[in-house]
Amino acid sequence: MADNEKTGVTYPSRYEPGLNPSYQDLATHYGTVMLPTRPHKARDKAKVEAAVLFAERWIIAALRHQTFFSLLELNKAIREMLVRLNDRPFKKLAGSRRSLFEQLDRPALRPLPERRYELAEWRKAKVNIDYHVQVDTHCYSVPYRLVHATVDVRLTARTVELLLNGVRVAAHVRSYERGKATTDPAHRPKSHQQHLEWTPSRLIHWAGAEVGPHCAQAVTRILEIQPHPEMGYRACLGLMRLGRMYGKVRLEQACARAILLSACSYRSIKSMLQTGLDRQPLMSLPQSSPVIRHLNVRGADYYLSGAGQDQQPINKEEAV
């Protein structure tokens, strides 16, 4: 039995309460069951409340006048009082709490699991068209057939597990690299043209047909700089969204400027649209400045050759 505390019960209900996934995971690991009681109904767990009452009366109250100078000293005194409480004979029953434990509880106990419980955090994530889910700025792959599905994510300090309807579909070593992706080759489709809704060629065709040639060129460069083309799908989808927000004409102008500046990325193009830089006249890149030739302008060769050692300083009035 358990209280209906919010940290353990996410959805209070008398018939089908929802448990915190981490709380349920802990119970499953140790082979036990959590049964939430009704709110404000202490009689639903009378045995637990009675045990708390006995501890307050026979341990806390008995030690209330003593002074302790360390936690070790306090724990030692509590242990002595606990042994005395458990060995205290019942008034109306035979035996004591210890004898009943040895008779009923100990034979039913099972050994602890071989590995210690590792605290896990549970989340939900949707599989993108690149068959990756994003968890804390890092992407992890799942089988490509799960595109658009919503999966449960179990996070520990070292691993990332992805589950669909309670069945684990992928597991990865957790990575803390921002903006990177962890991809299992077995999750990739054998033929993107046959098995994936989106392909690099389709993205490039969309950009050229719907927006313009500069957008198609920008999409091509975004896909080319990635280790796998699928890793650039998100940026291309972002360009689609920018086209709906700012219009296709402005998106084409921003892509043309991004190509000229060699800044073909979703972030750069979005910044151009937000600041209105795409509306400014598009100029070619500045050329290298012409060499200025003047009597008073001398290069390094002049001083290395020693030509200026015997030359007298130029009179300022004459120079003017």
Side-chain angles (χ1 to χ4, degrees):
M1 305 294 289
D3 285 324
N4 221 301
E5 72 279 0
K6 197 169 184 179
T7 56
V9 181
T10 57
Y11 178 73
S13 173
R14 181 173 182 177
Y15 304 103
E16 290 184 351
L19 294 179
N20 185 313
S22 299
Y23 195 39
Q24 180 63 53
D25 192 30
L26 173 65
T28 303
H29 180 80
Y30 287 107
T32 186
V33 178
M34 302 296 180
L35 297 177
T37 62
R38 295 174 297 173
H40 311 292
K41 298 295 183 181
R43 292 184 178 181
D44 287 356
K45 49 182 176 48
K47 294 292 184 182
V48 177
E49 297 295 341
V52 174
L53 179 61
F54 278 115
E56 291 179 348
R57 288 177 176 177
W58 291 90
I59 299 178
I60 299 178
L63 300 175
R64 68 185 185 278
H65 296 303
Q66 299 186 32
T67 303
F68 302 94
F69 298 95
S70 67
L71 183 60
L72 181 63
E73 185 180 355
L74 174 61
N75 288 336
K76 181 180 179 182
I78 293 175
R79 182 176 296 275
E80 293 175 356
M81 299 300 296
L82 180 61
V83 172
R84 187 180 305 176
L85 173 61
N86 289 333
D87 292 337
R88 181 174 177 270
F90 292 126
K91 290 184 177 181
K92 299 181 180 180
L93 297 176
S96 62
R97 289 178 175 80
R98 185 177 300 279
S99 63
L100 287 182
F101 173 78
E102 297 292 342
Q103 180 183 354
L104 300 177
D105 296 333
R106 186 178 291 278
L109 293 178
R110 295 185 298 178
L112 291 174
E114 296 181 358
R115 57 182 181 87
R116 299 184 61 180
Y117 173 72
E118 187 176 7
L119 181 62
E121 180 184 356
W122 288 81
R123 302 180 187 176
K124 286 189 177 293
K126 187 174 182 180
V127 183
N128 211 307
I129 63 171
D130 58 358
Y131 54 89
H132 284 71
V133 297
Q134 183 173 347
V135 181
D136 291 341
T137 70
H138 193 88
C139 296
Y140 302 90
S141 67
V142 298
Y144 66 91
R145 62 181 181 275
L146 301 181
V147 169
H148 302 310
T150 300
V151 297
D152 294 316
V153 182
R154 183 177 184 271
L155 288 173
T156 67
R158 296 175 295 179
T159 61
V160 176
E161 295 180 83
L162 306 169
L163 302 94
L164 180 65
N165 299 326
V167 180
R168 188 173 69 178
V169 295
H172 301 277
V173 177
R174 188 169 183 178
S175 175
Y176 295 91
E177 293 186 275
R178 298 176 61 89
K180 302 294 183 179
T182 299
T183 306
D184 186 346
H187 294 162
R188 303 186 65 189
K190 297 180 180 179
S191 174
H192 294 287
Q193 289 73 18
Q194 297 178 2
H195 297 285
L196 276 185
E197 179 183 1
W198 290 95
T199 62
S201 59
R202 179 179 178 182
L203 290 171
I204 297 173
H205 176 73
W206 163 85
E210 296 292 331
V211 183
H214 293 104
C215 184
Q217 189 175 354
V219 168
T220 302
R221 294 190 181 183
I222 291 175
L223 297 175
E224 288 177 348
I225 63 176
Q226 299 293 340
H228 303 290
E230 299 86 351
M231 298 173 64
Y233 285 5
R234 292 174 183 264
C236 297
L237 291 181
L239 294 184
M240 292 184 182
R241 183 170 176 270
L242 293 177
R244 293 191 295 267
M245 293 176 57
Y246 297 96
K248 299 177 181 180
V249 175
R250 291 191 60 188
L251 178 59
E252 175 69 6
Q253 295 174 352
C255 290
R257 183 177 296 273
I259 295 172
L260 184 64
L261 300 176
S262 298
C264 293
S265 67
Y266 167 77
R267 185 177 301 179
S268 299
I269 296 174
K270 179 181 179 181
S271 177
M272 294 178 188
L273 293 171
Q274 288 178 336
T275 58
L277 189 61
D278 58 290
R279 294 175 173 174
Q280 297 182 10
L282 185 63
M283 298 181 295
S284 59
L285 291 176
Q287 302 294 329
S288 58
S289 302
V291 179
I292 300 176
R293 300 186 179 279
H294 190 271
L295 179 63
N296 294 338
V297 178
R298 307 178 181 90
D301 296 337
Y302 175 85
Y303 295 97
L304 292 177
S305 63
Q309 295 180 357
D310 299 333
Q311 185 173 346
Q312 297 296 327
I314 299 177
N315 192 323
K316 293 184 180 180
E317 297 180 357
E318 296 178 357
V320 173

